[in-house]
Amino acid sequence: MSYKDEITDYNTYGQDIDKWIILKGEKKYMQFVKLLKQNNIDVKWNTLKDTYRYDKRLLVNLFKYLSFFEEFLRAQIWNASSKAYGKVENMGLRKIIDTTIELKSKINYPNFSLDNLIKNKELLIELRNRVSHNKIILTSTKNDSNINQIIVAFKNTLPINYQEGFVKDIDSCKKNLKIPKQLTIVFNS
């Protein structure tokens, strides 16, 4: 089926829909259509467009915190070892995490849980890869964890003094959008 058949109010919003399909791509919008249908959500244009925007806002905010987190872990390695700047700077996230874990007894940053880093390593790598490759965030899964669980795991792995800001920034992604509750990131605190 084409997007014209899938979006139930296409006849009302067709001109706007066609414009965005040309700009963003039918195949990408159809992935959002599929996501809505999998969650038993009526595929109306405003829901579809707001879900797309929500996903993009999540991606931008996750990028900001993942960038910080990689930099933070590099700093922990430099502070706890004699590794050269260039060597650590060129490490990918998996190697950064592994090196941080190897230096566990020397890492001394209050309010940071190395146990959470160890526990959530694969989820963090999956999240980072999805963000870095500009994938749809809301469809992310890893090892039986959905995107809500992955984002909560990332929050729990951040240093405590960054967790509150992270939650506020992720919560702000839904501002002025009507996101179906099934797709909204929820933090149970």
Side-chain angles (χ1 to χ4, degrees):
M1 284 187 134
S2 80
Y3 67 94
K4 293 176 183 181
D5 298 320
E6 294 287 359
I7 302 170
T8 59
D9 54 356
Y10 176 81
N11 291 335
T12 304
Y13 298 102
Q15 190 173 0
D16 194 36
I17 294 168
D18 291 341
K19 175 184 102 172
W20 287 106
I21 293 289
I22 290 168
L23 288 171
K24 302 291 183 173
E26 180 177 356
K27 290 191 188 310
K28 190 159 189 178
Y29 269 103
M30 291 304 287
Q31 291 301 307
F32 283 101
V33 166
K34 181 180 174 183
L35 176 66
L36 293 175
K37 290 174 85 173
Q38 286 171 340
N39 285 280
N40 299 313
I41 300 165
D42 191 23
V43 182
K44 292 190 176 289
W45 174 239
N46 285 325
T47 304
L48 180 61
K49 138 179 108 165
D50 280 358
T51 301
Y52 191 115
R53 288 180 176 161
Y54 180 61
D55 191 81
K56 189 58 74 175
R57 289 177 185 181
L58 287 171
L59 185 134
V60 168
N61 277 284
L62 289 167
F63 178 81
K64 177 174 72 171
Y65 281 91
L66 284 162
S67 296
F68 154 75
F69 191 64
E70 284 190 38
E71 185 176 33
F72 167 76
L73 292 179
R74 283 187 180 99
Q76 300 318 298
I77 294 167
W78 286 318
N79 293 343
S81 73
S82 61
K83 293 190 183 296
Y85 178 83
K87 183 175 181 180
V88 176
E89 179 189 42
N90 291 322
M91 289 179 181
L93 182 60
R94 182 176 299 280
K95 182 66 175 160
I96 292 168
I97 291 173
D98 289 342
T99 304
T100 303
I101 293 167
E102 288 168 15
L103 295 167
K104 183 177 181 175
S105 65
K106 297 179 181 180
I107 302 292
N108 187 20
Y109 188 87
N111 300 316
F112 173 64
S113 170
L114 280 156
D115 292 334
N116 280 342
L117 179 64
I118 293 165
K119 176 179 145 190
N120 296 322
K121 172 184 166 180
E122 294 303 321
L123 298 178
L124 300 179
I125 291 167
E126 176 67 17
L127 183 62
R128 184 248 181 229
N129 288 341
R130 293 205 48 99
V131 168
S132 294
H133 297 290
N134 202 23
K135 304 277 186 179
I136 296 173
I137 297 304
L138 291 171
T139 60
S140 303
T141 60
K142 179 72 176 179
N143 300 339
D144 298 325
S145 294
N146 64 32
I147 186 56
N148 199 101
Q149 294 162 322
I150 294 169
I151 289 177
V152 169
F154 179 45
K155 184 224 34 138
N156 292 338
T157 308
L158 286 167
I160 289 174
N161 50 336
Y162 282 83
Q163 291 179 11
E164 184 178 331
F166 178 75
V167 170
K168 284 181 184 176
D169 286 346
I170 295 301
D171 282 345
S172 75
C173 291
K174 59 189 170 207
K175 185 176 182 183
N176 299 322
L177 300 176
K178 292 184 179 168
I179 309 304
K181 70 177 183 173
Q182 305 95 302
L183 302 177
T184 303
I185 303 302
V186 177
F187 296 97
N188 296 327
S189 316

